[in-house]
Amino acid sequence: MLGHTLQCFRTSLYSLFLMASLALFKAVFTSLLDIAFVQSLCLNSSKPNVVVVMSDAFDGRLTFKPGRDVVQLPYVNYMRELGSTFLNAYSNSPICCPSRAAMWSGRFVHLTQSWNNYKCLDHNATTWMDELHASGYQTISLGKLDFTSGGHSVSNRVEAWTRDVPFLLRQEGRPVTDLVGNSSTLRVMTKDWKVTDRATQWIRHSSSSLSEPFALYLGLNLPHPYRTDSLGPDAGGSTFRSSPYWLKKVSYEQISIPKWLPFSDMHPVDYYSSFTKNCTSNFTVEEIQNIRAFYYAMCAETDAMLGEVISALRDTGLLNSTILLFTSDHGELAMEHRQFYKMSMFEGSAHIPLVIMGPGVKSGLQLGQLVSLVDIYPTVLELAGIPSPGDISGHSLIPLICEESEHQKHRPDWVLSEYHGCNANVSIYMLRTSQWKYVTYADGLSVPPQLFDLSSDKEELKNVASHHHGVIQKLDLLLRSVVDYPSVSKMVHLYNKQAFESWRQSLADNYTQVIANLRWHLDWQKNAEHNEKAIDDWLSGFI
């Protein structure tokens, strides 16, 4: 009897081992099939060329209707027709350096502590371009990179550090327009054109001789507003500049004049942003329309630079073997919600373009899935056949643009964006789902949240947080499962005080003069003694 029992036990163990082995074999075989399927469907070769063009402050809503009707963007349209367009792509932090840190690292900004334009990735941080280079790609990065610590103006960093000091100072120049040149002036942003020329010359004269695939990154400044020179060297970008040539690409009759809430109905953080951006005075309808028209004209000039890259790839016969991706670090409010610039979770600021074309990428596909900049890292690596690190926040887009629906892998049905920089007096967290946009602040208690139903309120003028407590609780629980945002807010608050105090000590006796002459100087000097004391009181519990 004992022998029979042992024999049955051995047989059961063998059966379990066989079943486990078969399951493991099936999982590995299926994974290999998935990889082979992606490569055969998306790639003409195992390693395609990769070209990423990243603009600055390009509103993603211009890449699909009805937004695309307002300005002629022939090369974005070309990419859309031959490739795949993401209708719900978002910046992970709507400001230059942190958003780019997320794109280059594939990680949310709270994981890399990319708090503001001065504090981002370490200079030795590994990027997806580093991964491609290590796997044999010839790599070249041109133009605006802006993802490592130490950059931007002193004013910008001090405004970020002191954002929760209880004073209210205008930090930007009033947004204005500047018409230059004539109807033949194409090259307004000469800096961007020069770097675009370098990129196209490299494609035409260097890439064809390579024995290995290449990866090219081109970073543009446009359509970011220009610095207002009359306000000094530290001035922010409050000038929308273009020429008659590009303004002809804009359909003035399609320009919408955004509705504004009265000051009394504005969320306190939105009012702070509007004030510090110098947008709380009166603006005529003509002023608003012109600012928006000039912004769209700047987008048209950006599109032409993208077109130069496309033409170079086509002329050299490389277009059919190259994955081309166009995106931006964030959008531009262009006077929506009584603001310009970014630094906000409203659609104009946080919604970015993301269009991909290339061998095997579905043509004319418009995707409604929620995606963000952190998804670019694993996407590029999968195209190159490189496994993604386990600590990244993004998910590859390849299953969405190359595979049929039955092969699509699970991905989150939400996106996260967070903001910790200047022109907002608290940390901001945004969780976007298919219907809702949930925006919460600081510790989740001291500042009231906002909730927008984007299915019925695309202009984001109706904060319905007080009417949907159940939705708020559900979304807040989901958000906390992604990021312990009260703890992150405390971390940022402590960093701000430490960084400011270190900067103040470095100035010694020059501190009073320097801080009074930053770009908030007009308001600061109205009551300099009060403002210095406000900072002293803010630091009193820290020093």
Side-chain angles (χ1 to χ4, degrees):
M1 175 69 70
L2 179 60
H4 177 71
T5 301
L6 288 173
Q7 180 64 31
C8 291
F9 181 68
R10 291 191 193 98
T11 302
S12 298
L13 280 177
Y14 177 75
S15 298
L16 288 171
F17 174 77
L18 183 61
M19 290 172 63
S21 299
L22 287 171
L24 178 61
F25 174 79
K26 181 179 179 182
V28 172
F29 184 69
T30 301
S31 178
L32 290 173
L33 279 179
D34 283 346
I35 294 172
F37 184 79
V38 169
Q39 291 184 340
S40 65
L41 186 59
C42 288
L43 314 177
N44 288 339
S45 62
S46 59
K47 289 188 176 183
N49 304 312
V50 177
V51 175
V52 174
V53 178
M54 186 175 213
S55 63
D56 192 316
F58 199 110
D59 186 343
R61 297 171 300 175
L62 298 178
T63 60
F64 53 87
K65 282 184 174 290
R68 68 183 178 91
D69 293 334
V70 75
V71 59
Q72 297 173 31
L73 303 173
Y75 295 102
V76 167
N77 292 342
Y78 177 85
M79 286 191 67
R80 191 185 69 251
E81 291 170 4
L82 294 183
S84 297
T85 305
F86 288 90
L87 306 180
N88 292 302
Y90 286 86
S91 172
N92 296 111
S93 186
I95 192 172
C96 300
C97 196
S99 64
R100 292 165 185 268
M103 189 276 291
W104 283 110
S105 70
R107 304 178 71 202
F108 294 137
V109 298
H110 66 271
L111 298 177
T112 60
Q113 298 186 17
S114 298
W115 303 137
N116 54 54
N117 274 343
Y118 182 69
K119 171 71 170 67
C120 279
L121 298 184
D122 294 335
H123 288 268
N124 61 351
T126 300
T127 68
W128 53 260
M129 190 67 91
D130 295 326
E131 299 270 16
L132 293 184
H133 183 76
S135 73
Y137 269 75
Q138 295 292 321
T139 58
I140 180 169
S141 297
L142 298 171
K144 185 170 184 176
L145 296 174
D146 195 21
F147 63 90
T148 56
S149 295
H152 291 264
S153 69
V154 173
S155 284
N156 190 275
R157 69 191 71 160
V158 172
E159 291 157 10
W161 295 334
T162 59
R163 62 183 189 167
D164 55 351
V165 176
F167 50 49
L168 198 56
L169 307 170
R170 291 171 294 174
Q171 300 168 5
E172 306 289 347
R174 179 185 172 94
V176 295
T177 59
D178 182 25
L179 182 66
V180 297
N182 54 46
S183 58
S184 300
T185 304
L186 278 70
R187 297 193 167 207
V188 178
M189 177 32 122
T190 55
K191 182 178 179 180
D192 277 354
W193 279 108
K194 288 178 181 178
V195 76
T196 300
D197 288 343
R198 287 180 59 198
T200 57
Q201 288 166 8
W202 187 87
I203 292 171
R204 294 180 188 277
H205 302 298
S206 300
S207 64
S208 58
S209 62
L210 300 175
S211 58
E212 295 292 333
F214 68 84
L216 167 65
Y217 168 87
L218 173 60
L220 303 175
N221 290 281
L222 276 183
H224 191 290
Y226 294 79
R227 188 179 69 200
T228 303
D229 295 329
S230 62
L231 299 179
D234 280 341
S238 58
T239 297
F240 293 82
R241 178 177 298 141
S242 194
S243 71
Y245 179 88
W246 297 114
L247 284 167
K248 288 181 181 178
K249 310 294 182 182
V250 179
S251 299
Y252 271 75
E253 66 277 7
Q254 296 289 338
I255 298 175
S256 62
I257 303 301
K259 298 176 182 177
W260 291 350
L261 294 175
F263 290 132
S264 58
D265 291 343
M266 292 177 71
H267 188 276
V269 176
D270 294 334
Y271 178 79
Y272 177 91
S273 297
S274 184
F275 188 95
T276 56
K277 292 176 182 178
N278 207 351
C279 289
T280 52
S281 57
N282 293 327
F283 288 83
T284 67
V285 170
E286 183 180 10
E287 280 183 288
I288 297 168
Q289 184 184 46
N290 282 337
I291 288 170
R292 293 172 71 77
F294 273 68
Y295 169 67
Y296 297 138
M298 293 159 68
C299 291
E301 187 176 0
T302 309
D303 179 78
M305 297 175 195
L306 173 64
E308 291 295 305
V309 175
I310 293 173
S311 297
L313 291 170
R314 186 171 52 210
D315 294 346
T316 53
L318 293 169
L319 193 59
N320 292 332
S321 59
T322 300
I323 298 292
L324 176 61
L325 185 153
F326 173 67
T327 190
S328 185
D329 54 356
H330 50 73
E332 165 61 54
L333 286 161
M335 301 310 293
E336 293 179 12
H337 302 280
R338 196 183 271 272
Q339 297 183 47
F340 75 106
Y341 249 5
K342 53 278 186 177
M343 303 123 165
S344 164
M345 295 304 170
F346 288 124
E347 288 291 284
S349 168
H351 202 139
I352 59 170
L354 184 54
V355 190
I356 306 174
M357 64 174 285
V361 176
K362 290 184 179 180
S363 299
L365 183 65
Q366 294 193 358
L367 296 133
Q369 285 90 342
L370 292 157
V371 299
S372 64
L373 286 173
V374 292
D375 295 327
I376 290 176
Y377 193 115
T379 300
V380 171
L381 262 58
E382 183 165 357
L383 286 168
I386 305 170
S388 292
D391 62 347
I392 62 172
S393 308
H395 299 263
S396 175
L397 303 172
I398 297 302
L400 300 178
I401 62 177
C402 294
E403 297 184 5
E404 300 297 335
S405 59
E406 59 264 28
H407 294 283
Q408 291 180 10
K409 301 172 185 176
H410 174 73
R411 60 179 297 112
D413 57 359
W414 49 265
V415 290
L416 169 70
S417 188
E418 53 191 296
Y419 184 70
H420 309 284
C422 58
N423 296 108
N425 52 350
V426 290
S427 287
I428 309 174
Y429 306 86
M430 183 270 280
L431 193 73
R432 167 76 207 276
T433 65
S434 59
Q435 179 180 359
W436 302 103
K437 178 183 285 188
Y438 173 53
V439 185
T440 190
Y441 305 86
D443 58 1
L445 299 171
S446 55
V447 181
Q450 297 199 77
L451 180 69
F452 300 102
D453 183 350
L454 295 185
S455 66
S456 60
D457 179 26
K458 296 187 184 302
E459 294 179 312
E460 299 172 290
L461 295 172
K462 300 175 183 176
N463 176 14
V464 295
S466 62
H467 304 293
H468 294 278
H469 297 293
V471 174
I472 289 285
Q473 290 177 351
K474 179 180 178 181
L475 293 177
D476 192 71
L477 186 64
L478 176 57
L479 176 62
R480 289 172 188 262
S481 72
V482 180
V483 52
D484 179 5
Y485 69 86
S487 296
V488 171
S489 297
K490 289 180 181 178
M491 190 186 310
V492 177
H493 182 75
L494 179 60
Y495 156 78
N496 286 339
K497 289 188 173 185
Q498 291 173 334
F500 180 85
E501 179 57 21
S502 176
W503 173 77
R504 183 168 75 164
Q505 290 182 5
S506 72
L507 295 174
D509 294 339
N510 294 324
Y511 165 71
T512 296
Q513 180 182 0
V514 172
I515 199 167
N517 287 283
L518 299 179
R519 60 187 182 189
W520 56 26
H521 63 96
L522 292 177
D523 283 356
W524 180 278
Q525 294 172 11
K526 292 176 182 177
N527 198 342
E529 185 177 342
H530 165 81
N531 294 326
E532 278 204 50
K533 185 178 185 304
I535 289 179
D536 291 340
D537 292 344
W538 171 66
L539 288 171
S540 61
F542 167 73
I543 302 174

